[in-house]
Amino acid sequence: MTEPRGDFPDYIDVMAFLEKIKANKKVTYHQLGYSDENREIPCIVITDASVSNEQKARAMVITSQHGSEESGRAIALGLIDFLLSDDDFAQKLLKTQEIAIVPCCNPDGSQLNTYKNA
């Protein structure tokens, strides 16, 4: 699987990570919009597409509201990495869940390394 670049990923690291996993059949990529400084706000949905979504529960994880708090981005990338792994629990979970993850909802704050957005 693809590993994040480091312990403190910024917006550029998040986008590079997502670019590498977009082709995975369990991943659907969505662009929620743009930041004030015209950066994409990404969201990915992960599930087992071989199972109908009609009976699946849904969860959403939103991280990096505060740009200088990189731990949320690191955790989101770790969660994505786990969900796309061959781990038995992850595979079972994706048959019953549809999980949306917004790994960096404040890209400007991330790049400016500030608590607030642009």
Side-chain angles (χ1 to χ4, degrees):
M1 197 70 251
T2 306
E3 291 293 325
R5 183 178 63 119
D7 293 335
F8 305 106
D10 64 11
Y11 173 75
I12 292 171
D13 298 323
V14 167
M15 295 307 288
F17 182 87
L18 296 182
E19 188 62 37
K20 291 177 182 177
I21 65 164
K22 277 184 185 180
N24 188 303
K25 64 183 179 179
K26 294 178 184 172
V27 172
T28 305
Y29 181 87
H30 300 277
Q31 179 181 316
L32 299 181
Y34 288 95
S35 69
D36 285 343
E37 293 186 351
N38 208 34
R39 293 180 176 95
E40 280 187 39
I41 300 173
C43 175
I44 64 162
V45 177
I46 304 174
T47 194
D48 183 336
S50 70
V51 178
S52 170
N53 285 342
E54 292 178 16
Q55 298 299 317
K56 289 181 182 175
R58 288 166 178 79
M60 185 169 204
V61 177
I62 302 172
T63 69
S64 193
Q65 293 90 331
H66 306 131
S68 58
E69 295 176 351
E70 56 276 308
S71 60
R73 290 187 297 274
I75 290 167
L77 298 184
L79 174 61
I80 293 166
D81 197 48
F82 169 72
L83 291 172
L84 296 178
S85 74
D86 293 330
D87 182 88
D88 289 338
F89 180 75
Q91 299 302 309
K92 183 178 177 182
L93 184 67
L94 293 179
K95 290 185 183 304
T96 62
Q97 301 281 321
E98 186 178 57
I99 303 168
I101 302 171
V102 181
C104 189
C105 71
N106 181 0
D108 298 341
S110 170
Q111 287 311 105
L112 297 169
N113 194 31
T114 181
Y115 185 79
K116 297 180 180 182
N117 63 21

